Amino acid sequence: APPAAGASGGGDAPLGEADYHAIADETLEGMCETLEDFLEGMDVEGYDISLAMGVLTLTLGEKGTYVVNKQTPNRQLWLSSPVSGPSRFDWSPAERQWVYTHTGRRLHEMLAHELEAAYGRAPDLE
């Protein structure tokens, strides 16, 4: 799980920039590793996954391209999905998850659900 945000422990206080980068980078690195293992294990043909400069790109051929990227000024992670379109996730210290405030859905859960619909099995992103 990503590190706790901030030493103050205070509810929904905005993340400091250093905490944001630490949590966001750990999230993106973990997702990249898990997704690469998942796609290799599923024998998915022609996929490409890369993580560079805060942008995770997952290209799945005819199933489309997913992009998860850091939005430092807003302290958010943004997901661009070929299935659900754009979503913006804020870090929830209480849940220790990235949460889309408009729907309450968590980033990991949303991506796992969409990949399960595409491939019949979900990656373990939690």
Side-chain angles (χ1 to χ4, degrees), residues 5-28:
S8 66
D12 287 333
L15 280 178
E17 190 164 344
D19 285 335
Y20 165 76
H21 284 297
I23 294 168
D25 289 341
E26 184 172 321
T27 299
L28 291 172

Side-chain angles (χ1 to χ4, degrees), residues 30-100:
M31 288 178 85
C32 186
E33 200 171 291
T34 299
L35 290 169
E36 196 158 18
D37 291 347
F38 170 75
L39 294 165
E40 278 178 19
M42 293 287 290
D43 257 345
V44 173
E45 292 286 319
Y47 75 87
D48 186 52
I49 187 165
S50 66
L51 174 58
M53 299 178 64
V55 180
L56 174 64
T57 305
L58 176 60
T59 305
L60 300 173
E62 61 190 34
K63 295 191 190 296
T65 299
Y66 288 85
V67 178
V68 182
N69 63 292
K70 290 167 56 171
Q71 285 292 325
T72 302
N74 304 334
R75 307 290 192 267
Q76 292 177 325
L77 287 180
W78 288 8
L79 168 67
S80 173
S81 159
V83 176
S84 57
S87 305
R88 300 173 180 194
F89 297 84
D90 295 288
W91 177 251
S92 166
E95 290 189 55
R96 298 175 55 76
Q97 292 275 342
W98 294 94
V99 177
Y100 186 34

Side-chain angles (χ1 to χ4, degrees), residues 102-114:
H102 294 293
T103 63
R105 292 201 64 193
R106 299 187 313 267
L107 172 62
H108 290 73
E109 157 192 271
M110 199 165 154
L111 195 51
H113 176 77
E114 290 186 14

